[in-house]
Structures are given as structure tokens and as C-alpha cells.
Amino acid sequence: MAEPEFRATGVRIGKGLRSLTRAGQVRISDGRLQLLTSYGSEIDSAPVQAVRASKPWFAPDDRALADLNGTRYLLTLGERDPAPGRPGPPAARRFIEAVRRAAGRGG
């Protein structure tokens, strides 16, 4: 398996008002976006070309929306990228750019 194009850990993943995991993982690898629990179980995945990633209106800068297979997930990443060598999820903006780049839509 190739090195992931994007990987974030410690991500809160929610669906509607329900939290699915508070320390999940988001991974873009081999043309697929995967949402995983903290234990590595798959919540959902889809080809990156079929994923819509965006910034929700009137939400803090650490939030991103991801539409996979007709389901909208709210991802809480970081407000800014962590310092080099420090743990923590990357900025939501970087996730959105990574999805667009992997899908060939620029970014």
C-alpha cells in the first residue's frame, strides 16, 4: 500500500448532531477517502472524485464538511497546523485542499 496522500488523527467525526468518534482518523490513499474510528474500524469510505469537501458557514475554522455516499459528516480538525514534531490534527483548510488535489480539481 502506498504512503497516504493525507492523514489526520485525533479528528472528531460527527453525523448530524451525533458524534461517531472523538479521536478518529481521516486518510486519503490510493484515490479513496476513508473515515476511521480511533481503533481503525471504517466508518465510511468513497472514491475521492465522489467526495465533496467544504467549509461550513458560520462555523469555527477547525471544522470541515465531507459528503460521502450521500451522508454528510462534520469533521473537527485543527484551527491551524500543529508545530513540526508536535501531535495534533492538521488544519481543516489543509484537508479540503488535499481532497481537491487528490480528485484533480486543483487546490
Side-chain angles (χ1 to χ4, degrees), residues 3 25 33 35 54-57 61 87 92 95 97-98 100 102:
E3 184 69 27
Q25 302 173 44
L33 172 73
L35 302 178
S54 60
K55 174 90 180 73
W57 286 20
D61 287 341
F95 164 72
E97 291 169 0
R100 290 181 180 152

Side-chain angles (χ1 to χ4, degrees), residues 2-105:
E3 184 69 27
E5 299 163 35
F6 178 85
R7 183 163 184 238
T9 57
V11 178
R12 179 181 294 251
I13 302 172
K15 185 165 91 172
L17 297 174
R18 200 174 102 201
S19 177
L20 301 175
T21 183
R22 291 186 297 163
Q25 302 173 44
V26 176
R27 189 179 315 164
I28 298 175
S29 183
D30 299 327
R32 289 190 74 76
L33 172 73
Q34 293 180 298
L35 302 178
L36 307 168
T37 66
S38 55
Y39 299 109
S41 302
E42 187 173 287
I43 296 170
D44 205 347
S45 72
V48 78
Q49 288 85 3
V51 174
R52 244 183 62 215
S54 60
K55 174 90 180 73
W57 286 20
F58 305 110
D61 287 341
D62 64 345
R63 307 263 164 82
L65 292 173
D67 292 324
L68 283 81
N69 303 317
T71 304
R72 177 170 288 172
Y73 295 95
L74 178 63
L75 310 176
T76 304
L77 294 114
E79 282 189 44
R80 60 184 88 70
D81 292 329
R86 305 286 302 187
R93 169 190 44 76
R94 210 170 103 210
F95 164 72
I96 295 167
E97 291 169 0
V99 169
R100 290 181 180 152
R101 201 170 37 249
R105 294 189 290 250

